[in-house]
Amino acid sequence: MQLSRQVEEKLGSLYRSGGRIVGGVYLGKGQEAFSAALGVQLVEGKDVYGPLIRDQAGRIAFGEPLLDCFRTYLGTATGPMRGRDGNIHRGRPKEGMLAMISHLGALVSVVTGVLFARRLRGSLGDTVGATSIGDGGTSTGAFHEGMNLAAVEKLPLIVSVANNQFAYSTPNSRQFACEDLLLRAEGYGVQGWSVTGTDLASCLKGFRAAVAAARSGGGPQMVVGRMLRLGGHGEHDDASYVPEEARFSHLGQDCLMVAEKTLAARGLASAEVVRGWEQEGRKLIDAAIAQAGREPLPDPYRERWDALSTSHLVEGRSE
Amino acid sequence: MSLTYLEAIREAQYEALRQNPDVFLYGQDIGAFGGAFKATKGLAREFPGRVFDAPISEDAMVGLAVGAAIEGARPILEMQFADFSSVGFNQIVNQAGTQYWRTDVPCPITIRLPSGGTPGSGPFHSQSMESIYAHYPGLVIVTPATVEDAYWMLLDSVELNDPVMFCEHKFLYYHLKADSLGERSLPIGKARIARPGRHATVVTYSAMLHEALKSAEELQLDGYQIEVVDLRSVKPMDTDTILASVARTGRLLAVGESFPWGGVTAEIVARVSAEAFHLLDAPPMRLNSKDTPIPYHPNLWKSHRPTVTTISDAVRRLLRY
Ligand SMILES: Cc1ncc(C[n+]2csc(CCOP(=O)(O)OP(=O)(O)O)c2C)c(N)n1
């Protein structure tokens, strides 16, 4: 989560300095604990993960190389999306990391489908699938359909719901009318878990239990955490609509600082050790940016303008 | 042996399941019940664990199919009616249609769309969606008009490494019969001259092929030889076969059952106008349904879609020009 925060601060400054980043920047500040706590429970090369907009921390924890992030934000031809898609819309489906489309809720059923095929082919074993959603995304039909279908199929899906109080500018009160999104779990017939979204220890405990339950045949799991988005919807947004009270409430706590305090209090890592991690992180980030920055950008003349893998069915092909 | 169009679709699914263990069927009421039209009759029993009843969740059904395809499976989805695929539209065009292009991972899924009008079916059980889906990149749109094509093109669709919208026409389900399934002949992407002629070309597909063929019979009595082209797949569209036919006849009428604004027939006319203007002896014409929702009562329905009469009238106008 530390590295994630540093990556995102770098992305933010690259965005503000203009020029190098193509398109918007969407950050997960304040949600690192919640996101990373899921990512670390997953095993790269075995489990399947469909991260969403605020999951830089979960991506790193899962094992996504920093280069994938910077290559995609800079739009290089070398990255996984090759300039065809950008920023958070990146992934490597064959390696278990799905590439989200923008439409919220749509990934729930796709992750479920991967698990479904594994069961069909006898390769499911104790693998799990996981994806994330925000409070706003839970209002979509796709989310509902996906949750219900996963529950009917009893597949090992973990859905993390980050209730950061706002969907873009819309507060919870205009998004849903039930008391807590956790209540939805029971309606779907899936197991629900509540964690303190700003507290890494609580997030780790909850996700560890949820992932273990899914691995051992407990069916879909829904983990809900509450926190505040510590920034705008994207870097273009100053979040002026977030009231002062929210910023200074317990939800507005910075999970990174909470985690640092816990580490020190439990004697797990001193402030110096954490500063050391920061330095390590800076090196990794600088190296990744330097490399991505040297790499070629996509070239319209070399681009294969085909949306089908069956090349002879591509219309207008003059080969 | 005689086989209906619907039975051919069932047989093709049987064959696909038999040939490839990665194929599975997913759709509402398609398991033990055999589907609303019985297109999967008996398949759940013959292939245990491979034919699944789905909840009424078209969005999630398509999402599941895309995920399964990423993992190497080859799902065949049944939409209970093409009309309800609108609920899965987002996953079809934005998830399935962009998957290969965005990630380099192919998306081999086949979505069966029981399409088109039948008497008494009304606005929400009669739609033809081929034009809508053809508009989006990344999808193959198949529109079989014969029993043989229903069978072979469904098998071809399942083998294709791309998402296929398989538009099967409900009007043909029981009416259309063949003595055998024949041999695998033309691939997806190739049109067929269903009836040769020299005075005018009618380009069409799916159920409208049969209306067009009847119209050609009728016009034959007046001494006109109408060439009828069956597109078989609307995307990719076999422009070469269309242009070659127009080169022979100099006159074009494009007929489709979907709504008139834009769509497949407009695409045909646009391509012919742009690429073969010099071959035309008359302005190219198109004929579609009326621009209203599809009516329920047969009296109205019969006048809403193109018929033998309206096709013949249009061809006569084309010939008179
Ligand atoms: C179906 C859909 N509608 C609208 C949008 C535009 N949009 C992108 S993010 C967003 C807010 C999402 O809020 P939430 O799900 O709470 O997640 P958060 O941004 O708070 O992490 C909106 C409205 C979208 N991506 N998808």
Side-chain angles (χ1 to χ4, degrees):
Chain A
M1 58 190 284
Q2 166 81 58
L3 183 57
S4 172
R5 177 68 60 90
Q6 290 177 264
V7 166
E8 295 204 327
E9 276 170 354
K10 192 73 190 176
L11 289 170
S13 66
L14 285 176
Y15 174 81
R16 281 185 294 278
S17 65
R20 300 193 72 185
I21 288 197
V22 181
V25 168
Y26 302 88
L27 306 181
K29 283 191 214 169
Q31 301 184 200
E32 291 97 336
F34 189 68
S35 179
L38 171 57
V40 291
Q41 310 297 332
L42 305 174
V43 182
E44 198 195 11
K46 167 179 170 174
D47 297 324
V48 56
Y49 181 35
L52 235 65
I53 36 180
R54 314 225 182 264
D55 280 324
Q56 181 58 43
R59 288 172 183 269
I60 292 176
F62 184 67
E64 184 192 67
L66 288 190
L67 260 181
D68 274 13
C69 167
F70 290 113
R71 281 171 167 165
T72 308
Y73 266 103
L74 298 183
T76 69
T78 49
M81 310 314 282
R82 300 155 291 157
R84 293 181 178 188
D85 209 340
N87 48 58
I88 51 191
H89 305 89
R90 63 181 193 268
R92 297 181 182 272
K94 276 290 177 219
E95 291 157 38
M97 162 114 33
L98 303 184
M100 63 174 278
I101 65 169
S102 293
H103 301 66
L104 296 168
L107 258 191
V108 178
S109 57
V110 179
V111 178
T112 303
V114 173
L115 300 171
F116 184 90
R118 287 183 180 178
R119 183 166 67 192
L120 189 78
R121 308 170 104 207
S123 62
L124 184 61
D126 69 342
T127 67
V128 298
T131 187
S132 322
I133 196 88
D135 41 289
T138 65
S139 307
T140 61
F143 175 79
H144 169 72
E145 287 195 9
M147 286 302 297
N148 180 62
L149 184 139
V152 167
E153 297 292 353
K154 296 193 179 50
L155 285 161
L157 173 77
I158 298 104
V159 174
S160 73
V161 180
N163 182 356
N164 63 11
Q165 314 303 310
F166 290 87
Y168 209 149
S169 75
T170 304
N172 277 185
S173 61
R174 298 296 306 162
Q175 198 64 246
F176 55 88
C178 59
E179 205 160 300
D180 193 308
L181 289 173
L182 187 67
L183 294 169
R184 301 237 174 125
E186 191 180 349
Y188 291 125
V190 311
Q191 200 168 345
W193 307 78
S194 185
V195 303
T196 306
T198 49
D199 176 16
L200 179 62
S202 166
C203 293
L204 282 170
K205 187 160 168 251
F207 278 111
R208 193 179 301 126
V211 172
R215 278 204 205 287
S216 56
Q221 313 287 318
M222 180 169 154
V223 183
V224 182
R226 294 169 70 223
M227 75 289 282
L228 190 67
R229 202 184 62 209
L230 299 184
H233 169 63
E235 285 306 273
H236 58 277
D237 170 31
D238 67 3
S240 52
Y241 44 81
V242 175
E244 287 281 293
E245 311 87 79
R247 292 182 207 265
F248 292 107
S249 74
H250 68 283
L251 289 174
Q253 284 183 306
D254 183 344
C255 62
L256 205 63
M257 281 156 73
V258 175
E260 246 192 86
K261 265 188 218 148
T262 313
L263 287 177
R266 294 197 190 171
L268 294 168
S270 64
E272 293 85 79
V273 170
V274 174
R275 296 293 86 76
W277 293 343
E278 265 177 25
Q279 265 174 16
E280 276 306 297
R282 242 190 316 273
K283 281 189 215 147
L284 293 173
I285 292 166
D286 289 346
I289 293 184
Q291 175 162 348
R294 281 194 299 271
E295 290 174 348
L297 296 174
D299 176 351
Y301 296 102
R302 282 168 189 236
E303 172 74 12
R304 287 178 68 85
W305 293 97
D306 51 5
L308 295 175
S309 75
T310 316
S311 4
H312 72 269
L313 293 185
V314 175
E315 291 202 323
R317 240 289 121 81
S318 51
E319 278 183 357
Chain B
M1 186 189 86
S2 157
L3 206 75
T4 64
Y5 181 94
L6 178 64
E7 285 161 347
I9 289 166
R10 185 212 173 263
E11 287 309 304
Q13 293 182 98
Y14 174 90
E15 197 50 30
L17 284 162
R18 194 187 65 74
Q19 284 173 7
N20 189 340
D22 288 330
V23 172
F24 71 91
L25 312 189
Y26 205 78
Q28 292 149 23
D29 307 295
I30 69 167
F33 184 65
F37 296 101
K38 296 286 175 275
T40 58
K41 188 175 163 190
L43 295 180
R45 192 164 21 85
E46 284 172 276
F47 299 94
R50 314 247 320 261
V51 183
F52 300 89
D53 284 330
I56 306 173
S57 297
E58 286 76 10
D59 182 291
M61 287 161 59
V62 181
L64 176 134
V66 172
I70 289 172
E71 194 60 21
R74 309 186 83 84
I76 305 178
L77 289 190
E78 175 178 303
M79 292 289 159
Q80 200 151 72
F81 287 79
D83 314 46
F84 302 122
S85 72
S86 59
V87 179
F89 183 73
N90 178 48
Q91 298 278 21
I92 294 169
V93 305
N94 289 316
Q95 195 87 261
T98 67
Q99 163 83 19
Y100 167 73
W101 183 80
R102 293 173 71 238
T103 68
D104 220 19
V105 177
C107 186
I109 68 178
T110 301
I111 304 182
R112 292 182 35 238
L113 300 179
S115 306
T118 50
S121 295
F124 311 115
H125 292 75
S126 303
Q127 294 171 26
S128 300
M129 312 279 285
E130 66 278 357
S131 293
I132 296 274
Y133 292 119
H135 186 69
Y136 276 83
L139 306 171
V140 173
I141 321 294
V142 168
T143 50
T146 67
V147 175
E148 296 84 343
D149 274 351
Y151 180 79
W152 291 109
M153 291 180 89
L154 183 48
L155 279 177
D156 289 348
S157 300
V158 177
E159 281 173 23
L160 217 60
N161 267 337
D162 286 296
V164 180
M165 305 306 289
F166 189 85
C167 306
E168 50 190 63
H169 205 295
K170 303 193 298 292
F171 192 72
L172 306 178
Y173 271 176
Y174 315 101
H175 291 345
L176 207 60
K177 292 195 173 86
D179 290 333
S180 80
L181 292 168
E183 299 280 305
R184 200 181 222 122
S185 57
L186 288 174
I188 288 175
K190 290 280 174 251
R192 175 178 72 98
I193 305 292
R195 177 189 173 108
R198 58 196 176 94
H199 295 119
T201 296
V202 177
V203 178
T204 186
Y205 56 94
S206 191
M208 283 297 136
L209 172 73
H210 303 282
E211 306 298 315
L213 287 171
K214 279 183 226 151
S215 158
E217 281 294 309
E218 201 177 273
L219 291 160
Q220 167 99 39
L221 302 175
D222 297 344
Y224 297 115
Q225 291 169 25
I226 307 304
E227 181 146 303
V228 180
V229 177
D230 172 11
L231 282 180
R232 299 176 69 250
S233 61
V234 302
K235 189 174 185 182
M237 183 180 282
D238 183 356
T239 315
D240 289 348
T241 297
I242 300 172
L243 294 179
S245 177
V246 172
R248 285 189 287 276
T249 65
R251 288 177 157 78
L252 169 74
L253 170 68
V255 182
E257 187 178 326
S258 54
F259 299 124
W261 207 99
V264 174
T265 58
E267 184 68 25
I268 297 166
V269 167
R271 290 186 188 202
V272 169
S273 306
E275 293 179 41
F277 195 66
H278 57 290
L279 300 174
L280 288 167
D281 298 325
M285 289 175 64
R286 49 194 288 259
L287 189 62
N288 279 86
S289 76
K290 292 190 195 306
D291 193 18
T292 69
I294 302 154
Y296 149 75
H297 198 278
N299 288 356
L300 300 178
W301 174 72
K302 276 188 288 189
S303 299
H304 181 267
R305 72 204 277 263
T307 59
V308 178
T309 312
T310 57
I311 295 171
S312 294
D313 287 351
V315 175
R316 284 202 174 86
R317 258 182 290 141
L318 187 66
L319 291 166
R320 269 202 306 273
Y321 180 86

